[in-house]
Each structure stands twice: as C-alpha cells, then as structure tokens.
Amino acid sequence: MDLHVPVTLLYGGLTGLLVTLLGFNVSLLRLTKRIGYSQPVPPELQRTFRAHGNAAEWVPLGVVLLLMLELSGRVTRLPLHLLGGTLFLARALHAVGMLTRWRVSAVGATLNYLVLVVMAVLAVWFRFLP
C-alpha cells in the first residue's frame, strides 16, 4: 500500500515544528524562572503556557483531518494546500497573538475553527457520497 501524502507531510511537519518551538519556549521559561511542574504558573507567563497548550490541543485534529482528506483521494492538491496552509497560518497567528501585543490571536482562532469545520464537513460529506 502506497501512502503518498506530500501535502499532509508538509503541513504536519510545519505545525509540528510550531508546536515544538512553543513547547521549547515553555521549557526555557520554566528553567530560567525556576518554575517546577507542581508549581502554579505565574500570571505573567500564563499566555506563553497557553499558546503552547492551545496549539498542542488543536493541531493534531487538523493534521488528522487533512490526512483523511488527502487519503480519500477526493480532494486535489490545491484545496489540500489551501486547507493545510490555512491551518498553519491560523495556528501561527494565534501563537503570535498570544505571545506578543499584536492583536491577531482572535483572527488565528477564527481561522482555526473555520478550517477545521470545513475539513470535518468534507470528511462527513465524502463518507456519504457514492
């Protein structure tokens, strides 16, 4: 069985790097601020911790949906790239908005919800199409 999934590999890899970088940032903060895992997160660091946690919560679902659509063979590469690119853009905007004073986290969250709904609806739709 040939599982050739270049689009999912690209956006799975990019979003995986994003989640890893956000996690590395949390680890560095824990180390430099001497915050143990059993200690509460100081209020000034909660946004940093949530930026990673939020990405870790949403990225797997997006990548799995993208993979299912790619494996279905019913979506051509351009729409897959648009979906994957939007997923990555959404997660990056949300993270930037959480970590900076730029007010783009709501845009990222909205894009995230939209792209996940589109992929989920397509997956269910394709299940019932002949």
Coordinates of all heavy atoms in Angstrom, one line a residue, residues 5 11 16 18 24 30 33 42 44 49 51 57 86 90-92 100 110 114-115 121:
V5 N 1.5 11.0 0.8 CA 0.7 12.1 1.3 C 1.6 13.3 1.5 O 1.8 13.8 2.6 CB 0.0 11.7 2.7 CG1 -1.1 10.7 2.5 CG2 1.0 11.1 3.6
Y11 N 2.4 20.1 5.9 CA 1.7 20.9 6.9 C 1.8 20.3 8.3 O 1.8 20.9 9.3 CB 0.3 21.3 6.5 CG 0.4 22.1 5.2 CD1 0.0 21.6 4.0 CD2 0.8 23.5 5.3 CE1 0.1 22.4 2.8 CE2 0.9 24.2 4.2 CZ 0.6 23.7 2.9 OH 0.7 24.5 1.8
G16 N 4.0 20.8 13.3 CA 4.8 20.1 14.3 C 5.9 20.9 14.8 O 6.2 20.9 16.0
L18 N 6.0 24.2 14.8 CA 5.5 25.3 15.6 C 5.1 24.8 17.0 O 5.5 25.5 18.0 CB 4.2 25.8 14.9 CG 3.4 26.9 15.6 CD1 4.3 28.2 15.7 CD2 2.1 27.2 14.9
F24 N 9.3 24.3 23.5 CA 10.7 24.7 23.9 C 10.7 26.0 24.6 O 11.4 26.2 25.6 CB 11.6 24.7 22.6 CG 13.0 25.0 22.9 CD1 13.8 24.0 23.5 CD2 13.6 26.2 22.6 CE1 15.1 24.3 23.8 CE2 14.9 26.5 22.9 CZ 15.7 25.5 23.5
R30 N 10.4 27.8 32.1 CA 10.4 27.0 33.4 C 11.8 27.0 34.0 O 12.0 27.1 35.2 CB 9.8 25.6 33.1 CG 8.4 25.5 33.0 CD 7.9 24.1 33.0 NE 6.5 23.9 32.9 CZ 5.7 24.1 33.9 NH1 6.1 24.4 35.1 NH2 4.4 23.9 33.7
K33 N 13.0 30.7 35.0 CA 12.2 31.3 36.1 C 12.1 30.3 37.3 O 11.5 30.6 38.3 CB 10.8 31.6 35.6 CG 10.8 32.6 34.5 CD 11.0 34.0 34.9 CE 10.8 34.9 33.8 NZ 11.1 36.3 34.1
P42 N 2.9 31.4 37.1 CA 2.7 32.8 37.4 C 1.8 33.5 36.3 O 1.9 33.2 35.2 CB 4.1 33.4 37.4 CG 5.0 32.2 37.5 CD 4.3 31.0 36.9
E44 N 2.0 36.2 34.7 CA 2.6 36.9 33.6 C 3.1 35.8 32.6 O 3.5 36.2 31.5 CB 3.8 37.7 34.1 CG 5.0 37.0 34.7 CD 4.8 36.7 36.2 OE1 3.7 37.0 36.8 OE2 5.8 36.3 36.8
F49 N 2.3 29.8 28.3 CA 2.0 28.4 28.5 C 0.7 28.0 27.7 O 0.7 26.9 27.1 CB 1.7 28.1 30.0 CG 3.0 28.0 30.8 CD1 4.0 29.0 30.8 CD2 3.2 26.9 31.6 CE1 5.2 28.9 31.5 CE2 4.4 26.8 32.3 CZ 5.4 27.8 32.3
A51 N -0.3 29.4 24.9 CA 0.0 29.4 23.5 C 0.4 28.0 23.0 O 0.0 27.5 22.0 CB 1.0 30.5 23.2
E57 N -3.4 21.2 21.5 CA -4.8 20.7 21.6 C -5.4 20.7 20.2 O -6.1 19.7 19.9 CB -5.6 21.6 22.5 CG -5.2 21.5 23.9 CD -5.8 22.7 24.8 OE1 -6.5 23.5 24.2 OE2 -5.5 22.7 26.0
T86 N -3.9 27.2 5.6 CA -4.8 28.0 6.5 C -4.6 27.5 7.9 O -4.6 28.3 8.8 CB -6.2 27.9 6.0 OG1 -6.3 28.4 4.7 CG2 -7.1 28.7 6.9
A90 N -3.3 29.9 10.7 CA -4.2 30.1 11.9 C -3.5 29.8 13.2 O -3.5 30.6 14.1 CB -5.4 29.2 11.8
R91 N -2.7 28.7 13.2 CA -2.0 28.4 14.5 C -0.9 29.4 14.7 O -0.6 29.7 15.9 CB -1.5 26.9 14.4 CG -2.5 25.8 14.3 CD -3.7 26.0 15.3 NE -3.4 26.5 16.6 CZ -4.3 27.1 17.4 NH1 -5.5 27.2 17.1 NH2 -3.9 27.5 18.6
A92 N -0.2 29.8 13.7 CA 0.9 30.7 13.8 C 0.4 32.1 14.3 O 0.9 32.7 15.2 CB 1.7 30.9 12.5
T100 N 2.7 38.1 21.9 CA 3.0 39.5 21.7 C 1.8 40.4 22.0 O 0.8 39.9 22.3 CB 3.5 39.7 20.2 OG1 2.3 39.6 19.4 CG2 4.6 38.8 19.8
T110 N -10.3 32.2 14.9 CA -11.4 32.1 14.0 C -11.0 31.3 12.7 O -11.8 30.4 12.3 CB -11.8 33.5 13.6 OG1 -12.2 34.3 14.7 CG2 -13.0 33.5 12.6
L114 N -12.7 27.8 11.4 CA -13.3 27.7 10.1 C -12.7 26.5 9.3 O -13.4 25.8 8.7 CB -13.1 29.0 9.3 CG -14.0 30.2 9.8 CD1 -13.6 31.5 9.1 CD2 -15.4 29.9 9.5
V115 N -11.3 26.4 9.3 CA -10.7 25.4 8.5 C -11.0 24.0 9.1 O -11.2 23.1 8.3 CB -9.2 25.6 8.4 CG1 -8.4 25.3 9.7 CG2 -8.6 24.8 7.2
V121 N -16.6 18.8 7.8 CA -17.8 18.7 6.9 C -17.4 17.9 5.7 O -18.2 17.0 5.2 CB -18.4 20.1 6.6 CG1 -19.4 20.0 5.5 CG2 -19.0 20.6 7.9

